[in-house]
Amino acid sequence: MLDLKSKCHDDVFVNCKIEHFPGRKLLVVADAPIFKDPAWEAREKHVRTSKPQSTDNNPLERSINRARKRVHDIAALNEFKYFVTLTLDGKLIERDKPRVVSKKLKTNCKR
């Protein structure tokens, strides 16, 4: 049995959190209490409210999902006036090397 009185706030995990973006809020709910938030109270029992989205424990897939979420969060937190999509010719530039692409892009932007 879980002794709630002995638990400190640093040990309290919850299964949901609210992410704040300009003009909107996003409620994130997990299948298990994985979010650390001292403002929530500990509970003895976890009640599953929905089916888990994925049971795949592939580290690469989890990493890709975290990266996608991070890009989405950055986009949601900023107001963009302009958006550019570039297509790079693999014969003219080593497009799989970010430093080479960044240097070439900075050079062309200065012109």
Side-chain angles (χ1 to χ4, degrees):
M1 184 166 152
L2 181 64
D3 182 12
L4 295 179
K5 292 180 182 178
S6 67
K7 293 189 74 66
C8 70
H9 286 290
D10 292 338
D11 295 335
V12 176
F13 288 85
V14 296
N15 72 327
C16 63
K17 68 178 180 176
I18 299 174
E19 293 182 350
H20 299 270
F21 297 101
R24 68 184 177 105
K25 294 179 183 177
L26 177 66
L27 177 64
V28 180
V29 180
D31 186 44
I34 60 171
F35 303 115
K36 193 174 191 178
D37 190 332
W40 292 72
E41 296 178 7
R43 293 186 179 176
E44 287 188 50
K45 185 177 178 184
H46 170 71
V47 179
R48 179 182 282 183
T49 57
S50 65
K51 190 175 183 179
Q53 292 181 0
S54 174
T55 57
D56 188 12
N57 290 325
N58 181 352
L60 179 60
E61 184 176 327
R62 285 196 318 262
S63 177
I64 290 170
N65 288 337
R66 278 194 312 271
R68 283 185 182 148
K69 183 188 179 325
R70 184 73 178 137
V71 169
H72 177 269
D73 291 351
I74 290 169
L77 287 170
N78 293 284
E79 294 182 24
F80 295 101
K81 292 183 182 179
Y82 305 101
F83 183 82
V84 177
T85 301
L86 303 173
T87 303
L88 306 173
D89 187 350
K91 296 174 186 172
L92 301 175
I93 188 170
E94 296 177 82
R95 60 185 179 188
D96 59 336
K97 296 185 178 178
R99 288 186 184 192
V100 173
V101 172
S102 178
K103 184 177 179 183
K104 190 73 166 180
L105 182 60
K106 287 177 185 177
T107 302
N108 284 322
C109 287
K110 287 179 183 178
R111 292 182 187 165

